[in-house]
Amino acid sequence: MLFRKTLFALALAGIVIPPAFANSDSGWAGNERGVGIQAGSNISPKSRADVQKELEAFRKNPFTADGTKIVNTEIGIISPRHSYGFQGGKYAHTDNIAHTTPKPSVVMTDSDRKLYPELYSR
């Protein structure tokens, strides 16, 4: 009888203790404390009507700030492509993508070559 009561008490404690510590800040549950999140911080200054207007405007023109088009297919997005054409007698870019990004360097250092020994061990 004593064994059954002890076993029941341990089982009950095993069920009750984990939920009791689930929301504590002691770091016991994987040390996840909800970084920077406070109660009530998800309140938006926009009304539901404002959000609905933004959604309708996005559905009419589904482009992000960088020119990517969001489509409702299995592709998901269509990235902007470079386009070229003749302008003023010269071959030039005719798209709206920024062309001021630096070109990638093709020069590899010895430390870079050590990362790919199967390519540079010959």
Side-chain angles (χ1 to χ4, degrees):
M1 187 75 167
L2 180 63
F3 178 73
R4 280 191 249 165
K5 286 183 180 179
T6 306
L7 187 61
F8 177 74
L10 288 173
L12 185 62
I15 292 171
V16 173
I17 289 176
F21 290 102
N23 293 327
S24 72
D25 286 337
S26 65
W28 180 74
N31 202 14
E32 296 179 14
R33 297 183 182 196
V35 178
I37 299 174
Q38 297 176 355
S41 65
N42 59 353
I43 298 172
S44 175
K46 295 182 182 180
S47 68
R48 183 173 177 85
D50 293 338
V51 173
Q52 290 293 334
K53 287 178 188 176
E54 286 182 6
L55 177 62
E56 290 302 318
F58 180 75
R59 285 182 177 161
K60 291 177 185 173
N61 187 17
F63 287 91
T64 60
D66 65 350
T68 302
K69 182 177 182 179
I70 309 294
V71 292
N72 193 14
T73 64
E74 59 184 51
I75 297 172
I77 63 169
I78 299 174
S79 298
R81 304 282 183 203
H82 290 284
S83 62
Y84 306 93
F86 286 100
Q87 290 182 341
K90 293 185 178 181
Y91 195 63
H93 295 285
T94 58
D95 53 26
N96 294 329
I97 301 172
H99 295 82
T100 58
T101 56
K103 293 182 180 179
S105 173
V106 294
V107 178
M108 292 186 73
T109 62
D110 288 334
S111 61
D112 293 335
R113 287 189 183 95
K114 288 179 185 176
L115 296 173
Y116 304 101
E118 66 275 359
L119 297 176
Y120 296 103
S121 63
R122 299 178 193 151

